Each structure stands twice: as structure tokens, then as C-alpha cells.
Amino acid sequence: MLSARSARLAVFASGNGSNFEALASAASRGELGGDLVAVLSDNPQAFALERARLHGIEALTPPTGRFRSRLEDETPWLDALRERRIDVVLLAGFMRRLHAPLLDAFARRMLNIHPSLLPAFPGLDAIGQAWRHGVRVTGCTVHLVEDALDAGPIVAQATVEVREDDTQESLEARMHAAEHRLYPAAVRRYLTEPFRLDGRRLVFGAEE
Ligand code: GAR
């Protein structure tokens, strides 16, 4: 739990932004536990930016530099967050690795959603990885972001059963629906309930 005042939230998104949409819808119903202030994207074509504008939320594209898998300079991104007094960053399909400037500034204040039951299937195309592996149960994970790929203390997980008659496409559709339920609920819990870290374990509830 952060503070008594309503937390100011920013979303980082690279693509379609369906998870942003779920977060924004929950926020507009007053169910997110904080205020969604801005969307930042590394991709000026990201539909997430259009969705933000439709919700009346500021849409930003700070410079990314020359690299594809990370931001060359995180300073403009950090400045944009500081100027807007952002408390918590929510990664929602943000496809670049982040590093010390942003991770240190937002330690324990940055969440990510990943479409697998971590630690299984980190990285790209997690749903496809699980599908090809032939798992019978998969799911999605919301976790605190650390300097490691799709890792960090787990805030919430939801399972999705792989059905006998599934195709990868039908599994993907149920996975996304599960993400859209899980992420807003996990953010609300993270923002409104006290928690502590016991090693890797994130434990909700007031101290004894
Ligand atoms: C989501 O499935 C999200 O979990 C995944 O990208 C998709 C973005 O969809 N993120 C990762 O794989 C992060 N490692 P969206 O743009 O429609 O929210």
C-alpha cells in the first residue's frame, strides 16, 4: 500500500493495448484504486496510444534511441514520469527490457503482466511456448519488475485450462480475457492492501 492519497499511475505499452483498455475501464469505474494519468509507448503506431486518447488520457512517445530491445537513454522516460508525479508504472505489453535508471527509481513501484504461469515460459510468445509444450494448464502472472526477464515477486496469478478442442487461437482468446480480469484486480489489491516481501514471497496483510 503506497499512501492515503490516490496513486498516480502510468502505463507503458508497445502494441494493441488491450490490457491498457482493461485498466482504463476499471479506472473509469473507480475500481482500479488509483488514477491513470498517462500512457507511454516506444512505438508511435501503437494502438494503445489511440485507446489512451479515446479515454482522455495523455499519450506520450518519448525517444527510444537506436536499439530495438531496450531504450538507449531512459532519462527522458524518467523525466516524463517525474514531471507528472507518477507513483507506479504498469507495464502492459511493453516489449523492451528496462534498466537501472527506471528500475531503481521505481523499485517495488513497477508491475508487469505476463501471459504464463511464471516462472514457466518467460520471454516472447509465452502463449505459443506453452501451447507447443503441450501443457494442460497455463495462465497469467502479475509481478513486481526486477532487473531480470519476466521475473520479480508475484502479486497475482490466474490459471487457464487448455481444452482438448483448443486451437492456439482459442487458447489465446481465453488467455487475454483472463489477463483483462486479473490485471485490474491485482493493481487494486497492490495499491490498497499492505504487503511485505519475505524473500521472493509477496505477502499481503498487515504485520502482526
Ligand atoms: C499481453 O498478452 C501481455 O501479457 C504480453 O503482451 C500482450 C500485450 O497485449 N506481455 C508480455 O509478453 C511481456 N513479457 P496488449 O497490448 O493487447 O495488452
Side-chain angles (χ1 to χ4, degrees), residues 55-153:
H55 278 275
I57 293 172
E58 190 180 14
L60 299 165
T61 53
T64 56
R66 289 167 298 171
F67 307 133
R68 221 160 51 96
S69 62
R70 68 181 182 91
L71 302 170
E72 185 172 356
D73 179 7
E74 292 183 344
T75 316
W77 291 66
L78 196 48
D79 290 346
L81 298 174
R82 288 196 167 130
E83 281 159 18
R84 289 160 185 80
R85 291 176 289 111
I86 298 299
D87 299 302
V88 174
V89 173
L90 306 172
L91 306 184
F94 189 69
M95 293 312 195
R96 290 184 194 240
R97 290 284 300 271
L98 297 172
H99 295 88
L102 272 167
L103 295 179
D104 290 352
F106 282 86
R108 295 193 188 183
R109 294 192 297 133
M110 188 181 287
L111 270 57
N112 181 42
I113 185 156
H114 183 76
S116 74
L117 291 176
L118 290 173
F121 310 120
L124 293 175
D125 188 24
I127 302 174
Q129 290 186 57
W131 171 255
R132 289 187 292 277
H133 194 92
V135 298
R136 297 289 176 166
V137 177
T138 182
C140 39
T141 303
V142 176
H143 62 91
L144 300 185
V145 177
E146 288 181 346
D147 193 6
L149 182 65
D150 296 321

Side-chain angles (χ1 to χ4, degrees), residues 5 20 28 35 54 65 70-71 74 107 125 127 154 159-160 171 183-184 198 201 206:
R5 78 171 166 82
F20 161 75
S28 67
D35 298 329
L54 291 171
R70 68 181 182 91
L71 302 170
E74 292 183 344
D125 188 24
I127 302 174
I154 291 172
T159 56
V160 174
L171 175 63
Y183 208 2
D198 176 11
R201 295 181 61 244

